[in-house]
Amino acid sequence: MKLSGIWELKKMAFRNLARHKVKTVLTSMAIMVSVAMYIFLSCWLGGMKIESRRNIVNFELGAAKLQTNLYFERKDEMPSYENFKDWEIYRQALLHEGYVSAPRFTFSGTLFSASGSAPMMFFGVEPELEREVLRYVPYVDFGRFAENGKFEIAIGTVAAERLKVGIPTRPFRLELEELIASIANDRADADFIRSLYDLAPSPRSGGDIFSPEEKITEGNERMILKRNVPKADLDRYWNLTALSGRNDVRINAVIDIKAVPEMIRDDKWNGELIPALRPEDRALVESAYEHVDFLNMYLLAEEDPQQLDSVLTAMIRAGYAGAVRHINQLMDVVVVGVINSPAPLPNGNTAFIPLDVLQDDRGMALDGAVTELIIREMGVPDSRLPGKSESSAVITGALVRGLESMGHVFPQGELGIYTWEDQMADYLGFEALQTGAPQVVAVLLLLLSFLGISNTILLAILERTKEIGMMRAMGMTDKQMIMTYMLEAGFLGFIGSVLGIILGCIINYPLVETGIDFSAMGDLMDGGIGFRTTAVFRSMWDIPVIIGSGIAATLLSSFMAFFPVKRAVKKPITESLRFE
């Protein structure tokens, strides 16, 4: 088909749009709304996904962790007995290769306060090194972060509210008055504390969200801490709570110590240990023990330390409980700060305690051991997600080189580098489901609008059947007829797409700049609503999605016209001319 012929078909398609203005406007608006909704949902969900991943890296995990291989295999169980020592050497080797790192000892337990208890995840940290790698440390709403050499902890805001320690942010009036009575030294202190609170908006006003079971009674209204309270006033308030003993808490945890058992009963040996061992480990374990018939037990006979280490590793790998001893431990500590960061994990039932106080029998008897070394490339901007330079292979290579330069060897079979994606595989799968479902809805909405286009074109063809017959009688080929109507539908899609992109960008702009505040909903759901962000959900400018949605809408609009037109041109010309 010649260029001039194509140009004539385009002009004919434009004239058809102008002749049927109402249908053109309505169909274009349908495409506009569909494209705008698709852009809005895709960019918003994409922004939440990127922000969540940044929060995971910057506030929770770093780019990667150095852990024992067995710890990673059972990371969901938090096996604190799977630890390693000499973390300072590994940190120095990484620093030599351009990576910062921070040690951690992770364990679970229960935190008791005067008002209740809560299950907690505890992190033993080096505060200054933690600050180099992760960004949650400065996000202390009240008080300060824990300091080395002191039995003190900083806890998440969810745990603080549950345990009623520190400064309450949303107390009932009677609860606040009880607190004032217990911590205020005089009337001036009492008036000062009351001045920091306002009456919370009632649920009917729409200004706040309350749990369904919450009953508001007269005289016991919900109070809320003012948002603009100066830090000096918060520090004074915090000191009053600390002096009253409100922040004194107790940790109940378990020290897990792995050791080769001296004796194993027959039933344990045959029922639990041997069946769980790998075939290649059975001979190793069996050679280390001797059976004593009159005791009905297997007694440890091996004395070689290296061989015993291999036996212990085999038992741990098999999950044999007898290879781990559990010792209950109580620690009295003081809550010195409450964390409220952009990520849910540090804000939840979590506590951060100085690593150095956990070393001896007063703590967790670590003797220099840690469960992980959190790693990030030096100088990398917080906005950038880990790339190739922070992959497992690259960091492992850097660590090997750094250790070799110091005269050490990396124990490949014992330790490994596991990236944040390895650690968060389950979350990433859940994230795909969360973002996928709304996008499917958006695509279906887009397809419905295209079905509307197909219907519009079909009606237009029915209305113009005689006209089509006349044009075919005058020599217009079937191919030209199909091309004309496909161009007409394509122009409809193009107009709707351009308007949809404009509308989508207008809607997306405030979501990129300010986002939508879901903090009230997050409060009711203990700081999280699925994504790894707490308060403000921001969108992003996803240029491929914005441009691609316009192109896709235009092409699909044109394609949807093909079938009704193809059907129409199959009708004989004489029959088309007689159509009424």
Side-chain angles (χ1 to χ4, degrees), residues 14 17 24-25 27-29 31-32 488-502 554:
F14 268 121
L17 292 179
T24 298
V25 170
T27 306
S28 298
M29 288 183 65
I31 299 173
M32 174 189 72
E488 181 179 338
F491 289 141
L492 274 173
F494 178 74
I495 294 169
S497 297
V498 171
L499 294 175
I501 289 173
I502 294 172
T554 302

mmCIF file of all heavy atoms in Angstrom, residues 14 17 24-25 27-29 31-32 488-502 554:
data_model
loop_
_atom_site.group_PDB
_atom_site.id
_atom_site.type_symbol
_atom_site.label_atom_id
_atom_site.label_comp_id
_atom_site.label_asym_id
_atom_site.label_seq_id
_atom_site.Cartn_x
_atom_site.Cartn_y
_atom_site.Cartn_z
ATOM 1 N N PHE A 14 -9.746 9.855 10.983
ATOM 2 C CA PHE A 14 -9.943 11.072 11.777
ATOM 3 C C PHE A 14 -11.339 11.637 11.554
ATOM 4 O O PHE A 14 -11.999 12.094 12.498
ATOM 5 C CB PHE A 14 -8.889 12.123 11.408
ATOM 6 C CG PHE A 14 -7.661 12.056 12.273
ATOM 7 C CD1 PHE A 14 -6.415 11.834 11.718
ATOM 8 C CD2 PHE A 14 -7.741 12.241 13.645
ATOM 9 C CE1 PHE A 14 -5.277 11.779 12.507
ATOM 10 C CE2 PHE A 14 -6.625 12.191 14.446
ATOM 11 C CZ PHE A 14 -5.383 11.952 13.877
ATOM 12 N N LEU A 17 -13.873 9.836 13.548
ATOM 13 C CA LEU A 17 -13.872 10.247 14.957
ATOM 14 C C LEU A 17 -14.640 11.546 15.144
ATOM 15 O O LEU A 17 -15.393 11.720 16.110
ATOM 16 C CB LEU A 17 -12.435 10.418 15.455
ATOM 17 C CG LEU A 17 -11.576 9.159 15.580
ATOM 18 C CD1 LEU A 17 -10.165 9.521 16.059
ATOM 19 C CD2 LEU A 17 -12.194 8.172 16.559
ATOM 20 N N THR A 24 -16.749 9.026 20.576
ATOM 21 C CA THR A 24 -15.299 9.254 20.681
ATOM 22 C C THR A 24 -14.928 9.714 22.084
ATOM 23 O O THR A 24 -13.975 9.212 22.695
ATOM 24 C CB THR A 24 -14.847 10.299 19.650
ATOM 25 O OG1 THR A 24 -15.114 9.812 18.336
ATOM 26 C CG2 THR A 24 -13.353 10.583 19.785
ATOM 27 N N VAL A 25 -15.691 10.664 22.613
ATOM 28 C CA VAL A 25 -15.393 11.204 23.947
ATOM 29 C C VAL A 25 -15.583 10.137 25.012
ATOM 30 O O VAL A 25 -14.725 9.949 25.894
ATOM 31 C CB VAL A 25 -16.285 12.433 24.235
ATOM 32 C CG1 VAL A 25 -16.157 12.854 25.701
ATOM 33 C CG2 VAL A 25 -15.907 13.586 23.329
ATOM 34 N N THR A 27 -15.612 6.808 24.774
ATOM 35 C CA THR A 27 -14.641 5.724 24.689
ATOM 36 C C THR A 27 -13.266 6.196 25.141
ATOM 37 O O THR A 27 -12.554 5.472 25.851
ATOM 38 C CB THR A 27 -14.570 5.190 23.256
ATOM 39 O OG1 THR A 27 -15.889 4.831 22.810
ATOM 40 C CG2 THR A 27 -13.665 3.967 23.168
ATOM 41 N N SER A 28 -12.888 7.397 24.744
ATOM 42 C CA SER A 28 -11.583 7.944 25.160
ATOM 43 C C SER A 28 -11.520 8.116 26.668
ATOM 44 O O SER A 28 -10.480 7.844 27.288
ATOM 45 C CB SER A 28 -11.332 9.286 24.465
ATOM 46 O OG SER A 28 -11.272 9.128 23.075
ATOM 47 N N MET A 29 -12.628 8.543 27.271
ATOM 48 C CA MET A 29 -12.647 8.700 28.720
ATOM 49 C C MET A 29 -12.508 7.360 29.429
ATOM 50 O O MET A 29 -11.843 7.259 30.464
ATOM 51 C CB MET A 29 -13.933 9.407 29.152
ATOM 52 C CG MET A 29 -13.965 10.882 28.787
ATOM 53 S SD MET A 29 -15.459 11.701 29.387
ATOM 54 C CE MET A 29 -15.239 11.573 31.148
ATOM 55 N N ILE A 31 -10.897 4.748 28.306
ATOM 56 C CA ILE A 31 -9.478 4.381 28.207
ATOM 57 C C ILE A 31 -8.650 5.248 29.143
ATOM 58 O O ILE A 31 -7.723 4.763 29.804
ATOM 59 C CB ILE A 31 -8.987 4.535 26.752
ATOM 60 C CG1 ILE A 31 -9.768 3.603 25.836
ATOM 61 C CG2 ILE A 31 -7.490 4.254 26.649
ATOM 62 C CD1 ILE A 31 -9.489 3.801 24.366
ATOM 63 N N MET A 32 -8.983 6.538 29.229
ATOM 64 C CA MET A 32 -8.247 7.456 30.096
ATOM 65 C C MET A 32 -8.295 6.996 31.549
ATOM 66 O O MET A 32 -7.260 6.921 32.228
ATOM 67 C CB MET A 32 -8.843 8.867 29.985
ATOM 68 C CG MET A 32 -8.248 9.882 30.960
ATOM 69 S SD MET A 32 -9.146 11.455 30.975
ATOM 70 C CE MET A 32 -10.654 10.953 31.820
ATOM 71 N N GLU A 488 -8.795 4.014 13.229
ATOM 72 C CA GLU A 488 -9.772 4.770 14.027
ATOM 73 C C GLU A 488 -9.727 4.331 15.488
ATOM 74 O O GLU A 488 -9.691 5.168 16.411
ATOM 75 C CB GLU A 488 -11.169 4.564 13.453
ATOM 76 C CG GLU A 488 -12.256 5.336 14.204
ATOM 77 C CD GLU A 488 -13.627 5.125 13.582
ATOM 78 O OE1 GLU A 488 -13.701 4.758 12.406
ATOM 79 O OE2 GLU A 488 -14.622 5.340 14.308
ATOM 80 N N ALA A 489 -9.710 3.016 15.720
ATOM 81 C CA ALA A 489 -9.635 2.520 17.094
ATOM 82 C C ALA A 489 -8.296 2.868 17.733
ATOM 83 O O ALA A 489 -8.217 3.184 18.926
ATOM 84 C CB ALA A 489 -9.841 1.004 17.110
ATOM 85 N N GLY A 490 -7.227 2.827 16.920
ATOM 86 C CA GLY A 490 -5.910 3.188 17.445
ATOM 87 C C GLY A 490 -5.854 4.645 17.871
ATOM 88 O O GLY A 490 -5.258 4.977 18.903
ATOM 89 N N PHE A 491 -6.480 5.516 17.066
ATOM 90 C CA PHE A 491 -6.518 6.936 17.449
ATOM 91 C C PHE A 491 -7.316 7.133 18.739
ATOM 92 O O PHE A 491 -6.958 7.963 19.591
ATOM 93 C CB PHE A 491 -7.133 7.773 16.315
ATOM 94 C CG PHE A 491 -6.245 7.902 15.114
ATOM 95 C CD1 PHE A 491 -6.777 7.848 13.835
ATOM 96 C CD2 PHE A 491 -4.879 8.066 15.264
ATOM 97 C CE1 PHE A 491 -5.956 7.949 12.727
ATOM 98 C CE2 PHE A 491 -4.051 8.178 14.158
ATOM 99 C CZ PHE A 491 -4.591 8.117 12.879
ATOM 100 N N LEU A 492 -8.429 6.362 18.869
ATOM 101 C CA LEU A 492 -9.190 6.429 20.118
ATOM 102 C C LEU A 492 -8.303 6.036 21.302
ATOM 103 O O LEU A 492 -8.296 6.686 22.348
ATOM 104 C CB LEU A 492 -10.390 5.478 20.041
ATOM 105 C CG LEU A 492 -11.673 5.995 19.407
ATOM 106 C CD1 LEU A 492 -12.662 4.859 19.274
ATOM 107 C CD2 LEU A 492 -12.264 7.128 20.217
ATOM 108 N N GLY A 493 -7.572 4.926 21.121
ATOM 109 C CA GLY A 493 -6.670 4.471 22.183
ATOM 110 C C GLY A 493 -5.576 5.471 22.473
ATOM 111 O O GLY A 493 -5.225 5.696 23.636
ATOM 112 N N PHE A 494 -5.054 6.125 21.417
ATOM 113 C CA PHE A 494 -3.982 7.095 21.618
ATOM 114 C C PHE A 494 -4.474 8.312 22.395
ATOM 115 O O PHE A 494 -3.816 8.776 23.341
ATOM 116 C CB PHE A 494 -3.422 7.530 20.258
ATOM 117 C CG PHE A 494 -2.337 8.576 20.354
ATOM 118 C CD1 PHE A 494 -1.061 8.239 20.778
ATOM 119 C CD2 PHE A 494 -2.622 9.903 20.049
ATOM 120 C CE1 PHE A 494 -0.067 9.201 20.868
ATOM 121 C CE2 PHE A 494 -1.636 10.871 20.152
ATOM 122 C CZ PHE A 494 -0.350 10.520 20.559
ATOM 123 N N ILE A 495 -5.645 8.823 21.989
ATOM 124 C CA ILE A 495 -6.203 9.994 22.694
ATOM 125 C C ILE A 495 -6.466 9.646 24.164
ATOM 126 O O ILE A 495 -6.100 10.393 25.087
ATOM 127 C CB ILE A 495 -7.503 10.460 22.005
ATOM 128 C CG1 ILE A 495 -7.191 10.982 20.605
ATOM 129 C CG2 ILE A 495 -8.202 11.543 22.842
ATOM 130 C CD1 ILE A 495 -8.436 11.210 19.755
ATOM 131 N N GLY A 496 -7.118 8.477 24.401
ATOM 132 C CA GLY A 496 -7.394 8.068 25.772
ATOM 133 C C GLY A 496 -6.124 7.831 26.565
ATOM 134 O O GLY A 496 -6.049 8.160 27.754
ATOM 135 N N SER A 497 -5.096 7.276 25.906
ATOM 136 C CA SER A 497 -3.838 6.997 26.595
ATOM 137 C C SER A 497 -3.138 8.274 27.015
ATOM 138 O O SER A 497 -2.620 8.378 28.136
ATOM 139 C CB SER A 497 -2.914 6.170 25.694
ATOM 140 O OG SER A 497 -3.470 4.921 25.405
ATOM 141 N N VAL A 498 -3.087 9.241 26.110
ATOM 142 C CA VAL A 498 -2.437 10.517 26.447
ATOM 143 C C VAL A 498 -3.142 11.181 27.617
ATOM 144 O O VAL A 498 -2.508 11.646 28.574
ATOM 145 C CB VAL A 498 -2.417 11.453 25.216
ATOM 146 C CG1 VAL A 498 -1.960 12.849 25.613
ATOM 147 C CG2 VAL A 498 -1.489 10.888 24.142
ATOM 148 N N LEU A 499 -4.486 11.215 27.550
ATOM 149 C CA LEU A 499 -5.246 11.805 28.662
ATOM 150 C C LEU A 499 -5.049 10.991 29.940
ATOM 151 O O LEU A 499 -4.952 11.548 31.044
ATOM 152 C CB LEU A 499 -6.731 11.862 28.296
ATOM 153 C CG LEU A 499 -7.109 12.790 27.136
ATOM 154 C CD1 LEU A 499 -8.583 12.649 26.803
ATOM 155 C CD2 LEU A 499 -6.767 14.243 27.475
ATOM 156 N N GLY A 500 -4.997 9.640 29.812
ATOM 157 C CA GLY A 500 -4.788 8.786 30.981
ATOM 158 C C GLY A 500 -3.424 8.985 31.604
ATOM 159 O O GLY A 500 -3.288 8.986 32.835
ATOM 160 N N ILE A 501 -2.394 9.157 30.769
ATOM 161 C CA ILE A 501 -1.051 9.402 31.302
ATOM 162 C C ILE A 501 -1.009 10.724 32.051
ATOM 163 O O ILE A 501 -0.428 10.822 33.138
ATOM 164 C CB ILE A 501 -0.020 9.379 30.155
ATOM 165 C CG1 ILE A 501 0.170 7.946 29.642
ATOM 166 C CG2 ILE A 501 1.317 9.956 30.609
ATOM 167 C CD1 ILE A 501 1.040 7.837 28.409
ATOM 168 N N ILE A 502 -1.659 11.742 31.466
ATOM 169 C CA ILE A 502 -1.699 13.051 32.143
ATOM 170 C C ILE A 502 -2.424 12.940 33.478
ATOM 171 O O ILE A 502 -1.937 13.412 34.520
ATOM 172 C CB ILE A 502 -2.379 14.097 31.232
ATOM 173 C CG1 ILE A 502 -1.509 14.351 29.990
ATOM 174 C CG2 ILE A 502 -2.606 15.407 31.997
ATOM 175 C CD1 ILE A 502 -2.194 15.215 28.942
ATOM 176 N N THR A 554 -2.834 1.896 23.237
ATOM 177 C CA THR A 554 -3.029 2.275 21.833
ATOM 178 C C THR A 554 -3.042 1.046 20.931
ATOM 179 O O THR A 554 -3.931 0.887 20.080
ATOM 180 C CB THR A 554 -1.911 3.234 21.391
ATOM 181 O OG1 THR A 554 -1.914 4.389 22.231
ATOM 182 C CG2 THR A 554 -2.117 3.665 19.946
#
